[in-house]
Amino acid sequence: MPTLDRSPALVATGFLAIPVAQALVALPSDVLSTIQAAPIDPDLADTAAFSEAYGYPLEGGANCIVVAGKRGDDVRHAACVVLASTKLDVNRVVKKLLDVRKASFAPMDDAVALTGMEYGGITPIGLPADWPVFVDARVLDAPEVVVGAGLRGAKVFLPGRTLAALPNVTVVEGLATDVGPVADAGPVADVD
């Protein structure tokens, strides 16, 4: 089993995506001190593969899903963070939060281009400043979650409650629904 060589996130900025490293530097020290990062095998970045290979509990995985909503010609993007054991409620909750007529997972090429992060590594840290970040309330109860690092070759570890301290975050009750032990959230633009 491969090991995780975790270090404080500020020390680990060399293997994080540039927008993630820049966002970490801007965080207050009390928030930053709760965040760690570790390099991983990029082929094991997906939630289930990572959990199995590194022995990390699947319940500690969180997915960051990039969503696009439309109202007329206006396209609105957001990121949604849910536990890996849940499924994002795009058609009801996210649609209402974005105040759009139609919402869906953003196409992979759009998610990558707009975030400056790799697909399968997109994280709520370092997203575009005008995007809302919706976090399912259950994520905050997790003692620790693992999310993407902007690149498939690294992960970020932080207490679930730390997500509430990130810029543009709104904690939402019922953002996700239970689906059992392994989530099938559709195309995931990661924190997986």
Side-chain angles (χ1 to χ4, degrees), residues 24 27-36 158-159 162-167:
L24 286 170
L27 291 175
S29 61
D30 61 323
V31 174
L32 183 59
S33 68
T34 66
I35 305 172
Q36 294 183 320
L158 64 162
T162 296
L163 288 169
L166 297 177

Side-chain angles (χ1 to χ4, degrees), residues 55-136:
Y56 195 86
L58 191 59
E59 308 79 46
N63 292 321
C64 181
I65 303 158
V66 177
V67 177
K70 285 187 85 171
R71 178 174 282 283
D73 292 334
D74 183 28
V75 178
R76 302 171 189 174
H77 289 91
C80 300
V81 181
V82 300
L83 293 173
S85 59
T86 64
K87 183 176 181 178
L88 178 63
D89 186 344
V90 176
N91 293 322
R92 189 176 56 86
V93 178
V94 176
K95 194 165 107 173
K96 183 176 179 181
L97 289 167
L98 288 176
D99 188 28
V100 294
R101 294 186 189 273
K102 181 180 178 183
S104 60
F105 298 105
M108 178 179 64
D109 291 344
D110 291 352
V112 169
L114 294 169
T115 64
M117 301 179 199
E118 291 179 355
Y119 190 75
I122 295 175
T123 183
I125 302 168
L127 291 169
D130 59 342
W131 283 19
V133 179
F134 303 118
V135 176
D136 186 66

